[in-house]
Amino acid sequence: MHTLADWLPKKNPLSRTRILVGSDGERYHWKQTTNWGRAALKLINPHTSCAIAEVRSARSGTGLFSKDRRMALLIQPEATPMLDVIVLSFIILDQIRREQGLECSADAGLAAARIGSNAAVVC
């Protein structure tokens, strides 16, 4: 049986960054940042320093203090061959984030993967 530490090991013991080995054999870094108690995740290709996947949330209301309700997992077209691994690893990391008590930016059950040319390049 594999554990989380086997499949998504931390970059180092004190790091929030998790390593994901893609189907292409490359090592990608899930980087978690926290801003005012809200977590954000980006899957970075360390060779190019560009995000191949990133979580974005949308506000449900118009006010400054409105809560986030939905999120989108934006995946770059070049990462589609490992779509299943990206989505599964994101769900696991989002669950860890929730268990750690960080403010929920959206419901993981509402996450949507958008693939195609409309995905923004984030470098």
Side-chain angles (χ1 to χ4, degrees):
M1 184 166 97
H2 293 285
T3 65
L4 177 63
D6 295 334
W7 193 61
L8 290 169
K10 286 188 173 188
K11 189 173 180 181
N12 65 54
L14 300 177
S15 176
R16 290 188 195 177
T17 300
R18 297 272 185 168
I19 307 297
L20 172 68
V21 178
S23 56
D24 58 1
E26 293 291 328
R27 296 167 56 99
Y28 299 92
H29 298 177
W30 271 115
K31 294 201 178 245
Q32 179 180 346
T33 59
T34 305
N35 188 9
W36 294 90
R38 293 170 25 145
L41 283 172
K42 290 184 181 183
L43 185 59
I44 306 292
N45 179 337
H47 300 296
T48 64
S49 298
C50 289
I52 63 166
E54 128 178 56
V55 177
R56 290 200 182 159
S57 58
R59 297 209 181 271
S60 61
T62 58
L64 179 63
F65 298 106
S66 62
K67 289 190 175 186
D68 296 335
R69 294 287 183 212
R70 297 177 184 227
M71 73 175 126
L73 177 57
L74 303 174
I75 300 172
Q76 297 301 316
E78 66 268 15
T80 56
M82 51 185 220
L83 178 63
D84 54 345
V85 175
I86 291 172
V87 171
L88 180 60
S89 64
F90 161 70
I91 291 170
I92 291 168
L93 294 176
D94 190 58
Q95 181 62 33
I96 291 170
R97 177 188 60 82
R98 290 168 185 249
E99 289 172 358
Q100 290 173 346
L102 295 174
E103 181 182 321
C104 179
S105 62
D107 185 3
L110 297 175
R114 288 192 344 203
I115 306 167
S117 61
N118 62 345
V121 176
V122 180
C123 293

